[in-house]
Amino acid sequence: MATPQYFDLVTMGRIGVDLYPLQTGVPLSQVETFGKFLGGSAANVAVAAARLGRSTAVITRTGDDPFGTYLHEALKDFGVDDRWVTPVADCPTPVTFCEIFPPDDFPLYFYRRPKAPDLEIHPHELNLSAIRAAGIFWITGTGLSEEPSRTATLAALEARAKTGTTVFDLDWRPMFWRDPDQARPYYREALRHATVAVGNLDECEVATGVREPEACAEALLAAGVELAVVKQGPRGVLAVHRDGTRAEVPPVPVQVVNGLGAGDAFGGSLCHGLLAGWDLERTMRHANAAGALVASRLACSSAMPTGPEVADLLARAAEPDAAGRPSQS
């Protein structure tokens, strides 16, 4: 039997084209120029980890159209393997627009009708040997929102059987669900198979029914994961491991341009730290800095930082301010 292809990270889920305004502080109705970028959380996390030197691949689907061709080319340009990115004849490649109102207002407009092709991943199409072999396998909440992607995602998790590190990106997008109650049973099932859960407070509340950060972490651990990562916005990030190890680190201050890709950069860096065997605090600080760098830039995928860029920001953030305190505190 042939040895399955090994990747440091295999992600599964959403991909699309981001059309982002090249003007900030302007409503979409008045924007005149846009930039075209690779988008979608699963694709962006794979790109983020690839920029940090990891071998990555993504399992997803596009439309059989020029935008789908563009996404294949973009993935290859970023060093992400696209062998499991396949076309769907009757579903156009999704397009996402946003509005950019720094520092904290970035409305998203998803065009995923009649159905997004990344929700047309079928269980029989999965290379389960490669999924089991990956250093980290990463899935998202959006992949649970519709069939056949839901069954495929859960089948991949079951086949993986907590081999290595399996990350559940809670990725709550309310426009893809009827309401949180519809999502919770599938989130609970995914948490049983995952070893790491990562999400912001809104996403943790959907998954667990609680919102206070410590309670969220405890509920995620009780649901089955080994590591709970709770992103708290301006309060930074809380990470709690089942063995009692914990880290709570503040955000890295930057001038925010577009916050939409920060979570995916955080995710790619999280995977990098986990693969490297870093301690929890170092992993969280690196992930925070990676997210901050993307928030300081316009795009998502093309803004993902390299290792030296993250190291430089962390060094600058640790420099004392005029009062002699580290600037990140």
Side-chain angles (χ1 to χ4, degrees):
M1 181 181 295
T3 301
Q5 174 67 51
Y6 174 82
F7 292 97
D8 291 325
L9 170 66
V10 173
T11 68
M12 179 174 173
R14 198 167 67 249
I15 195 171
V17 176
D18 287 345
L19 294 177
Y20 282 3
L22 299 183
Q23 301 137 282
T24 62
V26 178
L28 198 57
S29 61
Q30 298 176 22
V31 173
E32 295 180 351
T33 55
F34 297 85
K36 181 180 67 174
F37 306 98
L38 168 74
S41 59
N44 280 338
V45 169
V47 169
R51 292 288 284 245
L52 295 171
R54 296 298 175 177
S55 61
T56 69
V58 59
I59 301 168
T60 190
R61 306 195 73 181
T62 71
D64 189 9
D65 53 28
F67 275 150
T69 301
Y70 161 72
L71 293 175
H72 278 276
E73 293 170 350
L75 287 169
K76 292 175 184 176
D77 287 345
F78 286 124
V80 178
D81 195 289
D82 67 339
R83 71 184 64 193
W84 298 309
V85 182
T86 56
V88 180
D90 299 327
C91 299
T93 299
V95 176
T96 302
F97 292 88
C98 77
E99 294 176 310
I100 300 176
F101 296 102
D104 58 4
D105 187 18
F106 308 102
L108 277 170
Y109 302 88
F110 291 96
Y111 290 79
R112 291 168 60 87
R113 298 298 179 202
K115 185 178 185 181
D118 55 60
L119 294 173
E120 281 292 314
I121 302 171
H122 292 262
H124 69 269
E125 298 168 336
L126 298 174
N127 185 324
L128 297 178
S129 295
I131 288 171
R132 282 190 289 263
I136 294 179
F137 180 54
W138 178 288
I139 63 105
T140 76
T142 297
L144 300 171
S145 64
E146 288 191 41
E147 293 290 5
S149 172
R150 177 185 300 149
T151 295
T153 300
L154 294 174
L157 289 173
E158 186 172 356
R160 174 98 172 153
K162 295 198 176 187
T163 304
T165 300
T166 302
V167 182
F168 180 16
D169 174 6
L170 301 180
D171 184 42
W172 168 247
R173 303 288 178 173
M175 66 285 294
F176 301 156
W177 297 87
R178 185 177 64 248
D179 56 51
D181 288 339
Q182 181 196 14
R184 284 194 178 106
Y186 304 114
Y187 273 54
R188 283 197 297 268
E189 180 64 15
L191 286 167
R192 287 200 315 110
H193 297 286
T195 63
V196 180
V198 55
N200 61 32
L201 291 177
D202 289 338
E203 293 166 335
C204 290
E205 184 175 17
V206 170
T208 67
V210 296
R211 187 171 181 85
E212 193 276 325
E214 293 280 354
C216 287
E218 292 303 319
L220 290 169
L221 293 174
V225 302
E226 300 295 317
L227 173 64
V229 180
V230 182
K231 294 183 283 188
Q232 305 174 79
R235 289 186 56 195
V237 61
L238 169 68
V240 182
H241 196 278
R242 183 179 297 281
D243 66 7
T245 307
R246 55 185 292 119
E248 188 163 12
V249 300
V252 180
V254 293
Q255 188 71 36
V256 174
V257 174
N258 182 1
L260 290 175
D264 297 333
F266 182 101
S269 176
L270 170 66
C271 292
H272 179 61
L274 293 172
L275 288 162
W278 292 347
D279 64 60
L280 199 53
E281 181 161 339
R282 181 183 180 186
T283 300
M284 292 302 113
R285 289 193 181 278
H286 194 279
N288 260 357
L293 278 169
V294 173
S296 72
R297 300 167 176 177
L298 173 66
C300 291
S301 53
S302 61
M304 296 299 172
T306 63
E309 288 176 319
V310 178
D312 179 66
L313 178 60
L314 284 170
R316 287 187 283 115
E319 292 173 356
D321 62 14
R325 298 181 299 261
S327 60
Q328 67 177 347
S329 64

